[in-house]
Amino acid sequence: MDPDDTSAYQRLEDRASARAALIAELGQARQELRLFDRDAGFWDLDSAQLCAALDACLRRSQFTRATLILHDASALASKAARLAEIAVRFAPRLQIRETEPEVRSYALGVVIIDQAVVLRRPHFDRSFAVLDRDQTAIAAATKLFDELVERSTPAPPPRATGL
């Protein structure tokens, strides 16, 4: 993705394009990352590139925050050594939460960065995402995310095992 591309709407045809867009947008982030998804898989939350971008984002300011909400955070407990290090280093500014069982059938993923861009996954079973800078889309995603925060609890902290 071209970081200078400021078009309001862009379809990202595959997971690799979506991840590249997320990493690029995190490179510009100054205030907040809000991410909701089924699990760590689609965005590869423990990848070296994503964790480096998240770490840099959180280092930019002592006021920068990140909230990750997952339906299933269990994979993070044993397979997320990089993310675990970042979570410890930036607690409580980095929160990892897990949805309550009653909302686990919800299947639309969203990522909101600085109230300036939203990445949407129309369904967890689809391999594409949409990048959108439209304020109406961002407001709708923010409202959804706020509702999901209310319907989630802190996840067990991720930790690396066998190291």
Side-chain angles (χ1 to χ4, degrees):
M1 180 182 138
D2 180 357
D4 294 326
D5 183 8
T6 57
S7 63
Y9 178 93
Q10 182 179 7
R11 183 176 162 126
L12 306 163
E13 295 296 333
D14 55 34
R15 290 169 54 169
S17 298
R19 288 178 187 144
L22 174 58
I23 291 165
E25 293 297 333
L26 272 177
Q28 305 300 313
R30 298 281 179 238
Q31 300 168 355
E32 184 176 40
L33 164 67
R34 301 175 96 193
L35 183 147
F36 164 67
D37 213 274
R38 174 175 42 201
D39 55 32
F42 185 84
W43 299 109
D44 195 9
L45 294 179
D46 199 52
S47 73
Q49 283 185 310
L50 191 129
C51 285
L54 178 59
D55 185 77
C57 177
L58 290 166
R59 285 181 187 275
R60 280 187 201 107
S61 167
Q62 65 181 356
F63 302 108
T64 304
R65 304 185 64 77
T67 305
L68 312 177
I69 302 174
L70 305 172
H71 280 325
D72 180 11
S74 64
L76 297 179
S78 62
K79 299 177 183 175
R82 291 180 189 99
L83 186 59
E85 289 175 18
I86 295 170
V88 168
R89 190 174 325 124
F90 292 103
R93 293 191 297 129
L94 170 58
Q95 294 182 22
I96 301 172
R97 302 180 64 84
E98 191 168 58
T99 57
E100 295 174 348
E102 300 82 39
V103 295
R104 293 204 177 136
S105 62
Y106 192 77
L108 172 95
V110 296
V111 179
I112 308 158
I113 300 172
D114 285 355
Q115 294 297 312
V117 65
V118 63
L119 290 149
R120 293 189 315 269
R121 291 185 60 206
H123 194 281
F124 291 150
D125 294 333
R126 303 274 172 93
S127 63
F128 72 92
V130 172
L131 183 145
D132 203 338
R133 297 179 193 284
D134 177 72
Q135 290 303 308
T136 303
I138 294 167
T142 299
K143 181 179 182 208
L144 167 65
F145 197 90
D146 290 343
E147 291 172 7
L148 288 165
V149 166
E150 291 177 16
R151 301 297 307 267
S152 66
T153 58
R159 33 181 165 270
T161 59
L163 295 179

